[in-house]
Amino acid sequence: MKLNYNAAPNYHSKASTKKIMGELTIVLLVVYAYAVVHQYVMHGMTNAIHIVILLLCSVTTAILCELIWGKLVAKTNPFKYVMESFPWVTAIILTMMMPANIGIYPVVIGTIFAILIVKLFFGGFGQNIFNPAAAGAAIIFTYFSTSVVKDVVTSATPTKTIASTYGWLITDPKLQTTFLNQFGGLKGLFLGN
């Protein structure tokens, strides 16, 4: 029996990194557009505009960080560096991880940390050992928790409240309906509304 061995990568595709990241950007922006529409319908134009401003500030910060890095540290054409590094993807994902009522300042600081520390200090695009957007979100939730989390439960936990109100297992169909109506029914609970 002859054993055939092929060096990685075993899967070959005509899709380039640029094409994949372009498609990812489009998909993320479609989801973000849904979030803007949702904020507009549920909370009004002010909230919708706020989350658009959050995204613009985060993307601008990410691109500026990489432009400066490309010029000063990488010593290359900074615009080419940015186009090969895709900083806007990190910025979009980071912004999508934030609550809609967060201030601009924490998002900008989180974006700087995500791009500069987590992404660029570890070697740039594809070299980072952590997800930059998740690390930026962790910094925001750690250091700006008072501006991010304003409705912290300090008494009984939600699970304890549910257990004391409805019991651990809701068997009565009327109680199930009452419980689900808090979230806009089963569809609202599923969609996260």
Side-chain angles (χ1 to χ4, degrees):
M1 172 190 248
K2 183 178 178 183
L3 180 62
N4 291 330
Y5 174 77
N6 293 325
N10 296 318
Y11 176 74
H12 297 283
S13 173
K14 294 180 181 179
S16 66
T17 303
K18 190 172 192 170
K19 181 180 179 193
I20 293 169
M21 296 306 282
E23 290 172 354
L24 176 61
T25 301
I26 291 169
V27 170
L28 289 172
L29 289 176
V30 167
V31 173
Y32 206 83
Y34 173 79
V36 171
V37 171
H38 177 75
Q39 283 296 316
Y40 173 71
V41 170
M42 299 300 285
H43 304 289
M45 183 59 85
T46 305
N47 281 19
I49 291 172
H50 179 70
I51 65 171
V52 169
I53 290 171
L54 286 176
L55 180 64
L56 292 174
C57 290
S58 182
V59 169
T60 302
T61 303
I63 290 172
L64 285 174
C65 283
E66 295 222 9
L67 281 172
I68 293 168
W69 184 272
K71 180 73 173 170
L72 299 179
V73 179
K75 307 265 191 230
T76 184
N77 179 350
F79 297 104
K80 183 180 178 196
Y81 187 81
V82 167
M83 294 307 291
E84 294 173 352
S85 182
F86 314 102
W88 55 85
V89 173
T90 299
I92 295 169
I93 294 171
L94 174 66
T95 308
M96 290 175 77
M97 295 170 76
M98 296 297 107
N101 61 350
I102 190 171
I104 294 170
Y105 178 71
V107 173
V108 169
I109 296 299
T111 303
I112 291 170
F113 180 82
I115 296 295
L116 192 62
I117 305 298
V118 180
K119 184 178 178 185
L120 295 175
F121 279 0
F122 281 100
F125 180 72
Q127 304 297 317
N128 43 299
I129 61 173
F130 305 110
N131 181 316
I139 288 299
I140 292 170
F141 288 126
T142 302
Y143 292 104
F144 298 99
S145 60
T146 55
S147 66
V148 175
V149 184
K150 294 181 180 173
D151 57 350
V152 176
V153 176
T154 56
S155 59
T157 63
T159 306
K160 179 66 177 164
T161 304
I162 291 169
S164 64
T165 305
Y166 298 108
W168 285 105
L169 182 63
I170 305 172
T171 55
D172 183 13
K174 289 181 182 179
L175 286 178
Q176 287 176 349
T177 304
T178 304
F179 177 72
L180 288 174
N181 284 341
Q182 299 176 67
F183 309 105
L186 189 57
K187 179 182 173 187
L189 182 65
F190 177 74
L191 293 175
N193 294 333

